[in-house]
Amino acid sequence: MIQSTIIAVFSVSSAVTITAVMLWALTKILEAFSDWICRPPYGTKEIFTIIIVSLWLIFTMILSITPWSFTFYLFGSLSNFSEAFYFASVTYTTLGYGDIVLATDIRVLSGLCAANGMLMFGLFTAFLVEFIKRLRIAHKEAAESQG
């Protein structure tokens, strides 16, 4: 149990660190392009930017699943990394198909992986909603200052 807890702390810390760095980088990129994003015409650029942000968040999710994949591969009863990544993805996203089951002594890790994934989904959703909100406010302010 102690070993599983230590492993879980490492996996959660790694996933959160990856997410924090990737969100920081995305914020810096969006700040660098904010003048272009907030200039008319808005429609196509808004759609393009939302797609790019969404793809960045999905890529961030894949990266944040990777520490859990290594954890399940190195300390689990999974035969290869591909299977470990699949199990981590299904668990992190809380789909939980049940087609793969961990060894009894480390099953607690799957619950912690799912909890980590739920928290990250919440963070990604909050980030995307806040980004769209700020984008719409910036467009409204730009339109009001021109007209």
Side-chain angles (χ1 to χ4, degrees), residues 3-15 18 63-89 91-92 102-103 105-113 116:
Q3 182 184 9
S4 294
T5 304
I6 292 169
I7 294 167
V9 167
F10 170 76
S11 298
V12 169
S13 299
S14 298
I18 289 167
L63 290 178
S64 66
I65 289 170
T66 304
W68 284 105
S69 303
F70 280 111
T71 298
F72 293 133
Y73 177 64
L74 296 174
F75 299 99
S77 56
L78 305 176
S79 60
N80 57 53
F81 184 77
S82 176
E83 188 175 73
F85 190 83
Y86 166 78
F87 179 79
S89 299
T91 304
Y92 195 87
L102 293 178
D105 56 333
I106 61 167
R107 280 191 189 156
V108 69
L109 291 178
S110 61
L112 296 171
C113 177
N116 186 195

Side-chain angles (χ1 to χ4, degrees), residues 30-72:
L30 291 172
E31 286 173 359
F33 286 96
S34 65
D35 289 340
W36 176 80
I37 294 169
C38 294
R39 268 196 321 260
Y42 303 124
T44 305
K45 286 192 283 188
E46 185 173 316
I47 292 168
F48 174 76
T49 307
I50 291 170
I51 290 170
I52 294 299
V53 168
S54 298
L55 290 173
W56 187 283
L57 293 175
I58 290 171
F59 180 67
T60 300
M61 187 180 314
I62 291 168
L63 290 178
S64 66
I65 289 170
T66 304
W68 284 105
S69 303
F70 280 111
T71 298
F72 293 133

Side-chain angles (χ1 to χ4, degrees), residues 14-25:
S14 298
V16 170
T17 300
I18 289 167
T19 300
V21 169
M22 291 297 288
L23 290 180
W24 173 82

